[in-house]
Amino acid sequence: GDKPIWEQIGSSFIQHYYQLFDNDRTQLGAIYIDASCLTWEGQQFQGKAAIVEKLSSLPFQKIQHSITAQDHQPTPDSCIISMVVGQLKADEDPIMGFHQMFLLKNINDAWVCTNDMFRLALHNFG
């Protein structure tokens, strides 16, 4: 019943990411590199500094993520792609659903996030 190694790595990364995000977003720089890309609600950011600046400046004081489901796959070039579905609660706002995808790459024996895409699960067909 052992999970494949990419699932172990992926779920460890996810746990680490949201723990940092919920407790101290400024520490998230450690998981990105200068070539990393973030798409946040359709806005593009590239590089560790730009990504951390964006995540640190999000307009809430406290946030809590709850993960509903996570899926991980190995890619042909030895990376791991992870998809997360969950809910978040920011300050006193109502609970909202979200989706997030990460591409993880092993560089110098450390797993880093090269690509990160985030969307709230809002459906405005206007």
Side-chain angles (χ1 to χ4, degrees):
D2 278 352
K3 287 183 175 169
I5 186 69
W6 67 83
E7 285 200 13
Q8 296 173 30
I9 293 164
S11 56
S12 293
F13 173 86
I14 297 304
Q15 185 181 356
H16 180 62
Y17 174 88
Y18 292 110
Q19 196 170 346
L20 285 177
F21 201 113
D22 291 359
N23 293 304
D24 185 1
R25 300 196 294 282
T26 61
Q27 299 299 308
L28 285 169
I31 67 168
Y32 296 102
I33 56 173
D34 287 331
S36 296
C37 291
L38 167 68
T39 304
W40 187 271
E41 288 291 316
Q43 288 181 288
Q44 301 272 7
F45 303 88
Q46 183 158 15
K48 182 191 293 228
I51 292 171
V52 173
E53 185 182 346
K54 171 60 181 175
L55 297 178
S56 301
S57 67
L58 291 167
F60 46 78
Q61 295 304 306
K62 62 179 201 285
I63 187 164
Q64 193 173 4
H65 291 81
S66 303
I67 307 307
T68 308
Q70 48 182 303
D71 298 299
H72 311 280
Q73 292 178 349
T75 68
D77 56 351
S78 304
C79 294
I80 297 170
I81 191 162
S82 298
M83 185 176 77
V84 176
V85 177
Q87 293 183 316
L88 59 82
K89 180 159 177 53
D91 292 338
E92 302 310 312
D93 292 345
I95 292 172
M96 287 185 282
F98 75 94
H99 307 277
Q100 195 159 9
M101 263 177 92
F102 302 95
L103 187 64
L104 309 178
K105 185 175 177 66
N106 193 314
I107 299 178
N108 300 329
D109 286 330
W111 287 92
V112 295
C113 177
T114 60
N115 300 79
D116 179 352
M117 291 185 261
F118 173 90
R119 283 275 182 183
L120 289 169
L122 304 174
H123 304 281
N124 300 326
F125 303 107

